[in-house]
Amino acid sequence: MTRPAWDWRLSDLSAVPQHGRTVFSCFSCGGGSTMGYKRAGYTVLGNVEIDPQMMRLYKKNHNPRFPFQMPIQEFKLLPASQLPKELFDLSILDGSPPCSVFSMSGQRDKKWGNEHKFREGQAVQRLDDLFFDFLDVAELLQPRVIVAENVTGMINGKARGYVSLVLSRLRSIGYRPQLFLLNSATMGVPQKRERLIFIAARNDLNFPLLKLEFNEPPVLYGDIQGGEGKPLKAGGVTYQRWHKRRPVDADMGDISLRHEGKQSSFNTRLMRRGKVANTLLSSSFYVRYDEPCRISDTDIIRLQTFPADYDFMDADVQYVCGMSVPPLMMQRIAEQIHEQWLSK
């Protein structure tokens, strides 16, 4: 019996037909994008990652030929003589610049242009600069295609001006950019994760416009649910709220507003077997609607379409998955880039 696409193993990659196209990944985290490219038949040569814990995970699970553990600001300044020649003949330069300053939660505008200490590498950085650091790398390496993933908050409000600057920068370094708003639930991923995908082809290649349309049937939470979740503390606030839930409630905030007169714990989501799960975030809490417990690590791994044999070592499973691109999402995008462009 054929397993569903979200139920897979790293060992399955050995059976994927290879077409020889190459990828280098920036801001690689645990390698969600990397696994997507590999599932689509690409060879991922290496990565740039600032976070030592994420780099240990990446090396353990992906065995890169050319790993660079350093800030991208340092990587882009390396002399060409210190870079592998293969990086100057890339099919795709991939990157997911850390994007928390563009999230729609909190007072995001006040974070722009300032240095803050973020979890990414435990370093003080200006995260709104990182996209342009990534494009500096693209200008240096001149890959055939550039792929960058980010949150949908970039096209809301004042952030739209930032997107215009990104698109202008891509054009100035010799690329024709396209911008896609994609929902992973249409791509076989068991969650409604909306993301912006920047895809740019080098001008001299004269590729036609890329078309991305995905209409795969939804995968419900009940389809992937498995394993035992951590029980809610009996008598605790969340436990009490859970017992007051109604079918219309999406999160604990709905319950607290109804019974306590104020919204609290809205980042504690209720997961229903008959619905597609909401976006898996690294810092939110997810509670099963039909039993008083948090979702299991098995649930998290399947929701993010990570492989069942991924070695998380000492890292938190939800953090790694929530910070990553779902491999199945990137696989679908990478397949179309190869089919419509690179295979020609």
Side-chain angles (χ1 to χ4, degrees), residues 38-104:
K38 288 184 176 182
R39 284 175 58 107
Y42 292 75
T43 299
V44 181
L45 297 174
N47 68 312
V48 177
E49 173 56 51
I50 189 176
D51 191 326
Q53 183 185 46
M54 294 301 107
M55 182 58 95
R56 288 195 299 272
L57 285 178
Y58 195 92
K59 289 180 176 179
K60 177 71 173 180
N61 290 279
H62 310 304
N63 192 30
R65 285 176 59 193
F66 306 120
F68 291 85
Q69 184 185 318
M70 60 178 61
I72 197 167
Q73 297 93 335
E74 293 181 13
F75 177 79
K76 74 178 186 180
L77 297 178
L78 290 176
S81 60
Q82 294 183 23
L83 295 174
K85 65 180 184 302
E86 290 92 336
L87 300 193
F88 293 91
D89 189 30
L90 288 172
S91 302
I92 296 177
L93 178 68
D94 168 79
S96 296
C99 51
S100 55
V101 291
F102 296 106
S103 170
M104 291 305 293

Coordinates of all heavy atoms in Angstrom, one line a residue, residues 38-104:
K38 N 15.2 18.0 -2.4 CA 15.7 16.6 -2.6 C 14.6 15.7 -3.0 O 14.8 14.8 -3.8 CB 16.3 16.1 -1.3 CG 17.7 16.7 -1.0 CD 18.3 16.1 0.3 CE 19.7 16.7 0.6 NZ 20.3 16.1 1.8
R39 N 13.4 15.9 -2.5 CA 12.2 15.1 -2.9 C 11.9 15.4 -4.3 O 11.3 14.5 -5.0 CB 11.0 15.4 -2.0 CG 11.1 14.8 -0.6 CD 9.9 15.2 0.3 NE 8.6 14.9 -0.3 CZ 7.8 14.0 0.1 NH1 8.1 13.2 1.1 NH2 6.7 13.8 -0.5
A40 N 12.3 16.5 -4.8 CA 12.0 16.9 -6.2 C 13.1 16.5 -7.2 O 13.1 16.9 -8.3 CB 11.7 18.4 -6.3
G41 N 14.2 15.8 -6.7 CA 15.2 15.4 -7.5 C 16.5 16.3 -7.6 O 17.4 16.0 -8.4
Y42 N 16.5 17.3 -6.8 CA 17.6 18.2 -6.9 C 18.8 17.7 -6.0 O 18.5 17.0 -5.0 CB 17.2 19.6 -6.4 CG 16.3 20.4 -7.3 CD1 14.9 20.1 -7.4 CD2 16.7 21.5 -8.1 CE1 14.1 20.8 -8.2 CE2 15.9 22.2 -8.9 CZ 14.5 21.8 -9.0 OH 13.7 22.5 -9.8
T43 N 20.0 18.2 -6.3 CA 21.1 18.0 -5.4 C 21.4 19.3 -4.6 O 21.6 20.4 -5.2 CB 22.4 17.7 -6.2 OG1 22.2 16.5 -6.9 CG2 23.6 17.5 -5.3
V44 N 21.2 19.2 -3.3 CA 21.5 20.4 -2.4 C 22.9 20.4 -2.0 O 23.3 19.5 -1.2 CB 20.5 20.4 -1.2 CG1 20.7 21.7 -0.4 CG2 19.1 20.4 -1.7
L45 N 23.7 21.3 -2.4 CA 25.1 21.3 -2.2 C 25.5 21.7 -0.8 O 26.5 21.2 -0.3 CB 25.8 22.3 -3.2 CG 25.7 21.9 -4.7 CD1 26.3 23.0 -5.6 CD2 26.3 20.6 -5.0
G46 N 24.8 22.6 -0.2 CA 25.2 23.1 1.1 C 24.3 24.2 1.6 O 23.2 24.4 1.1
N47 N 24.7 24.9 2.7 CA 23.8 25.9 3.3 C 24.6 26.9 4.1 O 25.8 26.7 4.4 CB 22.9 25.1 4.3 CG 23.7 24.5 5.5 OD1 24.7 23.9 5.3 ND2 23.2 24.8 6.7
V48 N 23.9 28.0 4.4 CA 24.4 29.0 5.3 C 23.4 29.1 6.5 O 22.2 29.2 6.2 CB 24.5 30.4 4.7 CG1 25.0 31.5 5.7 CG2 25.5 30.4 3.5
E49 N 23.9 29.0 7.7 CA 23.0 29.0 8.9 C 23.8 29.6 10.0 O 24.9 29.2 10.3 CB 22.6 27.6 9.2 CG 21.8 27.5 10.5 CD 20.6 28.4 10.6 OE1 19.8 28.4 9.6 OE2 20.4 29.2 11.5
I50 N 23.2 30.6 10.7 CA 23.9 31.3 11.8 C 23.7 30.5 13.1 O 24.6 30.6 14.0 CB 23.3 32.7 12.0 CG1 24.1 33.5 13.0 CG2 21.8 32.7 12.4 CD1 23.7 35.0 13.1
D51 N 22.7 29.8 13.3 CA 22.4 29.1 14.6 C 23.1 27.8 14.7 O 22.9 26.9 13.9 CB 20.9 28.9 14.7 CG 20.4 28.5 16.1 OD1 21.1 27.8 16.7 OD2 19.3 28.8 16.5
P52 N 24.0 27.7 15.7 CA 24.8 26.5 15.8 C 24.0 25.2 16.1 O 24.3 24.2 15.6 CB 25.7 26.8 17.0 CG 25.1 27.9 17.8 CD 24.4 28.7 16.7
Q53 N 22.9 25.4 16.8 CA 22.0 24.2 17.1 C 21.4 23.8 15.8 O 21.3 22.5 15.5 CB 20.9 24.5 18.1 CG 20.0 23.3 18.4 CD 18.9 23.7 19.4 OE1 18.2 24.7 19.1 NE2 18.7 22.9 20.4
M54 N 20.9 24.7 15.0 CA 20.3 24.3 13.7 C 21.3 23.8 12.7 O 21.0 22.8 12.0 CB 19.6 25.6 13.1 CG 18.4 26.1 13.8 SD 17.1 24.9 14.0 CE 17.2 24.5 15.8
M55 N 22.5 24.3 12.8 CA 23.5 23.7 11.9 C 23.9 22.3 12.3 O 24.1 21.4 11.4 CB 24.8 24.6 11.9 CG 25.9 24.1 11.0 SD 25.4 23.9 9.3 CE 25.9 25.5 8.6
R56 N 23.9 22.0 13.6 CA 24.1 20.6 14.0 C 23.0 19.7 13.5 O 23.3 18.6 13.0 CB 24.2 20.5 15.5 CG 25.4 21.1 16.2 CD 25.6 20.6 17.6 NE 24.5 21.1 18.5 CZ 24.4 22.2 19.1 NH1 25.4 23.1 18.9 NH2 23.4 22.6 19.9
L57 N 21.8 20.1 13.5 CA 20.7 19.4 13.0 C 20.8 19.2 11.5 O 20.6 18.1 11.0 CB 19.3 20.1 13.3 CG 18.8 20.0 14.7 CD1 17.5 20.8 14.7 CD2 18.5 18.6 15.1
Y58 N 21.2 20.3 10.8 CA 21.3 20.2 9.4 C 22.4 19.2 8.9 O 22.2 18.4 8.1 CB 21.6 21.6 8.8 CG 21.4 21.7 7.3 CD1 20.2 22.2 6.8 CD2 22.4 21.4 6.4 CE1 20.0 22.3 5.5 CE2 22.2 21.5 5.1 CZ 21.0 22.0 4.6 OH 20.8 22.1 3.2
K59 N 23.5 19.3 9.6 CA 24.6 18.3 9.3 C 24.2 16.9 9.6 O 24.5 16.0 8.8 CB 25.9 18.7 10.0 CG 26.6 20.0 9.6 CD 27.8 20.3 10.4 CE 28.6 21.5 9.9 NZ 29.8 21.8 10.7
K60 N 23.5 16.7 10.7 CA 23.1 15.4 11.1 C 22.2 14.7 10.1 O 22.3 13.5 9.8 CB 22.5 15.4 12.5 CG 22.0 14.1 13.0 CD 23.1 13.2 13.4 CE 22.6 11.9 14.1 NZ 23.6 11.0 14.5
N61 N 21.2 15.5 9.6 CA 20.2 14.9 8.8 C 20.4 15.1 7.3 O 19.8 14.3 6.5 CB 18.8 15.6 9.1 CG 18.3 15.2 10.5 OD1 17.7 14.2 10.7 ND2 18.5 16.1 11.5
H62 N 21.3 16.0 6.9 CA 21.4 16.3 5.4 C 22.9 16.1 4.9 O 23.0 16.1 3.7 CB 20.9 17.7 5.1 CG 19.6 18.0 5.7 ND1 18.5 17.2 5.4 CD2 19.1 18.9 6.5 CE1 17.4 17.7 6.0 NE2 17.8 18.7 6.7
N63 N 23.8 16.0 5.8 CA 25.2 15.7 5.4 C 25.7 16.6 4.2 O 26.0 16.1 3.1 CB 25.4 14.3 5.0 CG 26.8 13.9 4.8 OD1 27.7 14.4 5.5 ND2 27.1 12.9 4.0
P64 N 25.6 18.0 4.4 CA 25.9 18.9 3.3 C 27.4 18.8 2.9 O 28.3 18.7 3.8 CB 25.5 20.2 3.8 CG 25.7 20.1 5.3 CD 25.3 18.7 5.6
R65 N 27.7 19.0 1.6 CA 29.1 19.1 1.2 C 29.7 20.4 1.6 O 30.9 20.4 1.9 CB 29.2 19.0 -0.4 CG 29.0 17.6 -0.9 CD 28.9 17.6 -2.4 NE 30.2 18.1 -3.0 CZ 30.4 18.4 -4.3 NH1 29.3 18.3 -5.1 NH2 31.5 18.9 -4.7
F66 N 29.0 21.5 1.5 CA 29.5 22.8 1.8 C 28.7 23.6 2.8 O 27.9 24.4 2.5 CB 29.6 23.6 0.5 CG 30.3 22.9 -0.7 CD1 29.6 22.6 -1.8 CD2 31.6 22.6 -0.5 CE1 30.3 22.0 -2.9 CE2 32.3 21.9 -1.6 CZ 31.6 21.6 -2.7
P67 N 28.9 23.2 4.1 CA 28.1 24.0 5.2 C 28.9 25.2 5.6 O 30.1 25.2 5.8 CB 28.1 22.9 6.3 CG 29.3 22.1 6.1 CD 29.6 22.1 4.6
F68 N 28.2 26.3 5.8 CA 28.8 27.5 6.3 C 28.0 28.0 7.5 O 26.9 28.5 7.4 CB 28.8 28.6 5.2 CG 29.7 28.3 4.0 CD1 29.3 27.6 3.0 CD2 31.0 28.9 4.0 CE1 30.1 27.3 1.9 CE2 31.8 28.6 2.9 CZ 31.4 27.8 1.8
Q69 N 28.6 27.8 8.7 CA 28.0 28.3 9.9 C 28.5 29.7 10.2 O 29.6 29.9 10.8 CB 28.2 27.4 11.1 CG 27.5 27.8 12.3 CD 27.9 27.0 13.5 OE1 28.0 25.8 13.5 NE2 28.0 27.6 14.7
M70 N 27.7 30.7 9.8 CA 28.1 32.1 10.0 C 26.9 33.0 9.6 O 26.0 32.5 9.0 CB 29.3 32.4 9.1 CG 29.0 32.2 7.6 SD 30.5 32.7 6.5 CE 31.7 31.6 7.1
P71 N 27.0 34.2 10.0 CA 25.9 35.2 9.6 C 26.0 35.4 8.1 O 27.1 35.3 7.5 CB 26.3 36.5 10.3 CG 27.1 36.1 11.5 CD 27.9 34.8 11.0
I72 N 24.9 35.6 7.4 CA 25.0 35.8 6.0 C 25.7 37.0 5.6 O 26.3 37.1 4.5 CB 23.5 35.8 5.4 CG1 23.6 35.6 3.9 CG2 22.8 37.1 5.8 CD1 22.3 35.3 3.3
Q73 N 25.8 38.0 6.5 CA 26.6 39.2 6.3 C 28.1 38.9 6.1 O 28.8 39.6 5.4 CB 26.4 40.2 7.4 CG 25.0 40.7 7.6 CD 24.2 39.9 8.6 OE1 24.5 38.7 8.9 NE2 23.2 40.5 9.2
E74 N 28.5 37.9 6.8 CA 29.9 37.4 6.7 C 30.1 36.6 5.4 O 31.1 36.7 4.7 CB 30.4 36.6 7.9 CG 30.5 37.5 9.2 CD 31.0 36.7 10.4 OE1 31.4 35.5 10.2 OE2 30.8 37.2 11.5
F75 N 29.1 35.7 5.2 CA 29.2 34.8 4.0 C 29.3 35.6 2.7 O 30.1 35.3 1.8 CB 28.0 33.9 4.0 CG 28.0 33.0 2.8 CD1 28.8 31.8 2.7 CD2 27.2 33.3 1.6 CE1 28.8 31.0 1.6 CE2 27.2 32.5 0.5 CZ 28.0 31.3 0.5
K76 N 28.5 36.7 2.6 CA 28.5 37.4 1.3 C 29.8 38.2 1.1 O 30.1 38.6 -0.1 CB 27.3 38.4 1.3 CG 27.5 39.6 2.2 CD 26.3 40.6 2.1 CE 26.5 41.9 2.9 NZ 25.3 42.8 2.8
L77 N 30.6 38.3 2.1 CA 31.9 39.0 1.9 C 33.1 38.1 1.7 O 34.2 38.6 1.6 CB 32.2 39.9 3.2 CG 31.2 41.0 3.4 CD1 31.5 41.8 4.7 CD2 31.1 42.0 2.2
L78 N 32.8 36.8 1.7 CA 33.9 35.8 1.5 C 34.5 36.0 0.1 O 33.7 36.2 -0.9 CB 33.4 34.4 1.7 CG 33.1 34.0 3.1 CD1 32.5 32.5 3.1 CD2 34.3 34.0 4.0
P79 N 35.8 36.0 0.0 CA 36.4 36.1 -1.4 C 36.0 34.9 -2.2 O 35.7 33.8 -1.7 CB 37.9 36.0 -1.1 CG 38.1 36.4 0.3 CD 36.8 35.9 1.0
A80 N 35.8 35.1 -3.5 CA 35.4 34.0 -4.4 C 36.4 32.8 -4.3 O 35.9 31.6 -4.5 CB 35.4 34.5 -5.8
S81 N 37.6 33.0 -4.0 CA 38.6 32.0 -3.9 C 38.3 31.0 -2.7 O 38.8 29.9 -2.6 CB 40.0 32.5 -3.7 OG 40.1 33.4 -2.5
Q82 N 37.5 31.5 -1.7 CA 37.1 30.7 -0.6 C 35.8 30.0 -0.7 O 35.3 29.3 0.2 CB 37.1 31.6 0.7 CG 38.5 32.1 1.1 CD 38.4 32.9 2.4 OE1 37.5 32.7 3.2 NE2 39.4 33.8 2.6
L83 N 35.2 30.2 -1.9 CA 33.9 29.5 -2.1 C 34.1 28.4 -3.2 O 34.8 28.5 -4.1 CB 32.9 30.5 -2.7 CG 32.5 31.7 -1.7 CD1 31.6 32.7 -2.4 CD2 31.8 31.1 -0.5
P84 N 33.3 27.3 -3.0 CA 33.4 26.2 -4.0 C 33.0 26.7 -5.4 O 32.0 27.5 -5.5 CB 32.5 25.2 -3.4 CG 32.3 25.5 -2.0 CD 32.4 27.0 -1.9
K85 N 33.6 26.2 -6.4 CA 33.3 26.7 -7.7 C 31.9 26.3 -8.1 O 31.2 26.9 -8.9 CB 34.3 26.1 -8.8 CG 34.3 24.6 -8.9 CD 35.3 24.2 -9.9 CE 35.3 22.7 -10.2 NZ 35.5 21.9 -9.0
E86 N 31.4 25.2 -7.5 CA 30.0 24.7 -7.8 C 28.9 25.8 -7.5 O 27.9 25.8 -8.0 CB 29.7 23.4 -7.0 CG 30.5 22.2 -7.5 CD 31.8 22.0 -6.8 OE1 32.3 23.0 -6.2 OE2 32.3 20.9 -6.7
L87 N 29.3 26.7 -6.5 CA 28.3 27.7 -6.1 C 28.1 28.8 -7.1 O 27.1 29.5 -7.1 CB 28.7 28.3 -4.8 CG 28.8 27.3 -3.6 CD1 28.9 28.1 -2.3 CD2 27.6 26.4 -3.5
F88 N 29.0 28.8 -8.1 CA 28.9 29.8 -9.2 C 28.2 29.2 -10.4 O 28.2 29.9 -11.5 CB 30.3 30.4 -9.5 CG 30.9 31.2 -8.4 CD1 31.7 30.6 -7.4 CD2 30.6 32.5 -8.3 CE1 32.2 31.3 -6.4 CE2 31.2 33.3 -7.2 CZ 32.0 32.6 -6.3
D89 N 27.6 28.1 -10.3 CA 26.9 27.4 -11.4 C 25.6 26.8 -10.8 O 25.3 25.7 -11.2 CB 27.8 26.4 -12.1 CG 27.1 25.9 -13.3 OD1 26.4 26.6 -14.0 OD2 27.4 24.7 -13.7
L90 N 24.9 27.5 -9.9 CA 23.8 27.0 -9.3 C 22.5 27.0 -10.2 O 22.3 28.0 -10.9 CB 23.5 27.8 -8.0 CG 24.4 27.6 -6.8 CD1 24.0 28.6 -5.7 CD2 24.3 26.2 -6.2
S91 N 21.7 26.0 -10.0 CA 20.4 26.1 -10.6 C 19.5 27.0 -9.8 O 18.7 27.9 -10.4 CB 19.7 24.7 -10.7 OG 20.5 23.8 -11.4
I92 N 19.5 26.9 -8.5 CA 18.6 27.6 -7.6 C 19.4 28.1 -6.4 O 20.1 27.3 -5.7 CB 17.4 26.8 -7.1 CG1 16.5 26.5 -8.3 CG2 16.6 27.6 -6.1 CD1 15.3 25.6 -8.0
L93 N 19.3 29.4 -6.0 CA 19.7 29.9 -4.7 C 18.4 30.0 -3.9 O 17.5 30.8 -4.3 CB 20.4 31.2 -4.8 CG 20.8 31.8 -3.5 CD1 21.9 31.0 -2.8 CD2 21.3 33.3 -3.7
D94 N 18.4 29.3 -2.8 CA 17.2 29.3 -2.0 C 17.4 30.0 -0.7 O 18.5 30.0 -0.1 CB 16.8 27.8 -1.7 CG 15.7 27.7 -0.6 OD1 14.6 27.9 -0.9 OD2 16.1 27.4 0.6
G95 N 16.4 30.7 -0.2 CA 16.5 31.4 1.1 C 15.2 31.7 1.7 O 14.2 32.0 1.1
S96 N 15.1 31.6 3.1 CA 13.9 32.0 3.8 C 14.4 33.0 4.9 O 14.6 32.6 6.1 CB 13.3 30.8 4.5 OG 12.8 29.9 3.5
P97 N 14.6 34.3 4.5 CA 15.1 35.2 5.5 C 14.2 35.3 6.7 O 13.0 35.4 6.6 CB 15.1 36.6 4.7 CG 15.2 36.1 3.3 CD 14.5 34.9 3.2
P98 N 14.8 35.3 7.9 CA 13.9 35.4 9.2 C 13.0 36.5 9.1 O 13.3 37.6 8.7 CB 15.0 35.6 10.3 CG 16.2 34.8 9.8 CD 16.2 35.1 8.3
C99 N 11.7 36.3 9.4 CA 10.6 37.2 9.0 C 9.8 37.7 10.2 O 8.7 38.2 9.9 CB 9.8 36.5 8.0 SG 9.2 34.8 8.5
S100 N 10.2 37.5 11.4 CA 9.3 37.9 12.5 C 9.0 39.3 12.6 O 7.9 39.7 13.1 CB 9.9 37.4 13.9 OG 11.2 38.0 14.0
V101 N 9.8 40.2 12.0 CA 9.4 41.6 12.0 C 8.3 42.0 11.1 O 7.7 43.0 11.1 CB 10.7 42.5 11.6 CG1 11.7 42.5 12.7 CG2 11.3 42.1 10.3
F102 N 7.9 41.0 10.2 CA 6.8 41.2 9.3 C 5.6 40.5 9.6 O 4.6 40.5 8.9 CB 7.2 40.9 7.8 CG 8.3 41.8 7.3 CD1 9.6 41.3 7.2 CD2 8.1 43.1 7.0 CE1 10.6 42.1 6.8 CE2 9.1 43.9 6.5 CZ 10.4 43.4 6.4
S103 N 5.7 39.7 10.8 CA 4.5 39.0 11.2 C 3.4 40.0 11.6 O 3.6 41.1 12.0 CB 4.8 38.2 12.5 OG 3.7 37.7 13.1
M104 N 2.1 39.6 11.4 CA 1.0 40.5 11.6 C 0.7 40.6 13.1 O -0.2 41.3 13.5 CB -0.2 40.0 10.9 CG -0.1 40.2 9.4 SD 0.3 41.9 8.9 CE -1.2 42.7 9.4

